[in-house]
Amino acid sequence: MKKLFAKKNRACIDKDKLPRHIAIIMDGNGRWAKKRGLARSAGHYAGSERFRSAAKYLQKLGVEHFTVYAFSTENWKRPKEEVDGIFSLLEKYLYEAINDLKDDNIVLSFWGDISPLSPKLIELIEETNELSKKNNGMHVNICLNYGGRAEITRAVKSIANDCAAGVLNPDDISDEVIENRLYSKNTPPPDLLIRPGGETRISNFLLWQLAYSEMVFTDTLWPDLTDDKLEEIIISFQQRNRRFGGL
Ligand code: FPP
């Protein structure tokens, strides 16, 4: 059993039982800022910095897929100033990613309907997708204007269109046919979902993909979910008995 990051008197991560795919709902940025008397935008900034560090940590650990909920189809209900602030953090991240992708060896993808985003953001996303094709390291999936229901509806529409056009027989519709029309196509489902911020719900995130994921809900706010805390969560995940409906 290969063990990583052994610390005195502490359990450590079993490299042979790493979750292949970790998904995170990055919740609690607003409360993190409020606790410090700061504007909510400062919380999102801290959240985006935590995302960068978490991605580096998980990549070093050997996790293959890392998916985060950055902006949901429901987040448009927030004040315009806050929405614009989140998009400018994403823009900043994309500029950096375009510079760093050669050295970072991550494959960056965006899950969700990007069509209502600004032309600049769409251009940066397309450029990142193109550059990412050369890489083969950890897949980082950023869910942007993403909703689990919208994702499934989109897949159903595409299947219905193919059936109406006679290129797909309704009897041939299977889990695989549906999976191949989700944003997560070719990605194994998350082994572990982490939601910081104290809420115990999945808020329209990866509804199809989370069917057998292990879930960890913690009161820690996202900007405070350090690499050490991620390590503890992964260790607790490794102690679980996953049965996938079997015995
Ligand atoms: C939820 O916390 C967080 C969001 C809706 C936005 C998350 C976005 C980021 C962390 C920035 C994304 C940038 C990159 C580079 C991925 P909340 O605001 O609902 O927190 P609260 O419940 O405490 O108010």
Side-chain angles (χ1 to χ4, degrees):
M1 185 170 81
K2 279 178 247 147
K3 286 183 172 181
L4 271 193
F5 306 149
K7 288 197 179 100
K8 232 182 181 175
N9 301 326
R10 265 182 64 177
C12 50
I13 289 178
D14 178 350
K15 184 84 193 292
D16 296 329
K17 281 171 38 183
L18 271 185
R20 288 186 71 195
H21 184 176
I22 296 182
I24 300 189
I25 300 177
M26 303 186 289
D27 194 17
N29 299 340
R31 278 162 290 159
W32 183 93
K34 195 171 174 199
K35 262 173 60 182
R36 289 162 176 76
L38 300 171
R40 290 179 62 81
S41 56
H44 293 313
Y45 175 77
S48 68
E49 290 295 304
R50 181 87 284 276
F51 157 76
R52 281 179 179 75
S53 307
K56 286 203 171 75
Y57 168 70
L58 296 177
Q59 184 179 23
K60 197 166 151 216
L61 206 54
V63 169
E64 294 168 56
H65 304 268
F66 176 41
T67 303
V68 290
Y69 209 1
F71 193 85
S72 76
T73 44
E74 288 73 35
N75 286 151
W76 295 104
K77 293 177 198 154
R78 295 187 177 210
K80 184 173 181 309
E81 195 191 335
E82 180 167 344
V83 171
D84 289 347
I86 293 173
F87 288 145
S88 48
L89 286 171
L90 282 157
E91 204 172 300
K92 180 171 176 282
Y93 174 70
L94 282 165
Y95 275 116
E96 288 166 16
I98 287 167
N99 252 324
D100 299 344
L101 270 171
K102 276 193 274 16
D103 303 323
D104 269 1
N105 193 21
I106 57 167
V107 181
L108 200 52
S109 305
F110 291 82
W111 295 357
D113 176 13
I114 61 163
S115 63
L117 307 184
S118 72
K120 182 80 235 169
L121 210 44
I122 294 175
E123 192 190 312
L124 288 170
I125 288 174
E126 283 166 356
E127 194 176 340
T128 322
N129 283 340
E130 209 39 51
L131 283 170
S132 276
K133 284 183 189 154
K134 299 185 187 117
N135 288 352
N136 61 6
M138 183 173 79
H139 290 246
V140 176
N141 310 305
I142 299 184
C143 296
L144 204 49
N145 193 26
Y146 172 90
R149 288 180 177 175
E151 179 184 35
I152 294 169
T153 305
R154 176 176 170 271
V156 169
K157 266 188 200 157
S158 137
I159 290 171
N161 282 331
D162 280 0
C163 288
V167 292
L168 180 66
N169 181 339
D171 288 334
D172 293 334
I173 299 170
S174 60
D175 283 9
E176 201 188 341
V177 167
I178 297 171
E179 271 157 15
N180 282 334
R181 290 162 202 250
L182 299 176
Y183 296 116
S184 54
K185 180 180 176 201
N186 299 328
T187 308
D191 300 294
L192 172 61
L193 169 78
I194 305 171
R195 180 168 190 159
E199 309 291 357
T200 48
R201 52 178 175 258
I202 57 172
S203 302
N204 202 14
F205 190 41
L206 304 176
L207 295 182
W208 175 280
Q209 297 86 343
L210 292 175
Y212 282 102
S213 306
E214 294 297 323
M215 300 196 183
V216 171
F217 298 98
T218 165
D219 287 337
T220 304
L221 305 172
W222 168 242
D224 289 331
L225 200 83
T226 56
D227 294 348
D228 273 357
K229 289 194 170 127
L230 283 171
E231 182 187 344
E232 278 170 32
I233 291 172
I234 294 170
I235 291 168
S236 78
F237 160 84
Q238 295 187 323
Q239 285 153 1
R240 293 189 186 188
N241 177 17
R242 301 185 76 194
R243 291 189 296 278
F244 300 93
L247 292 178

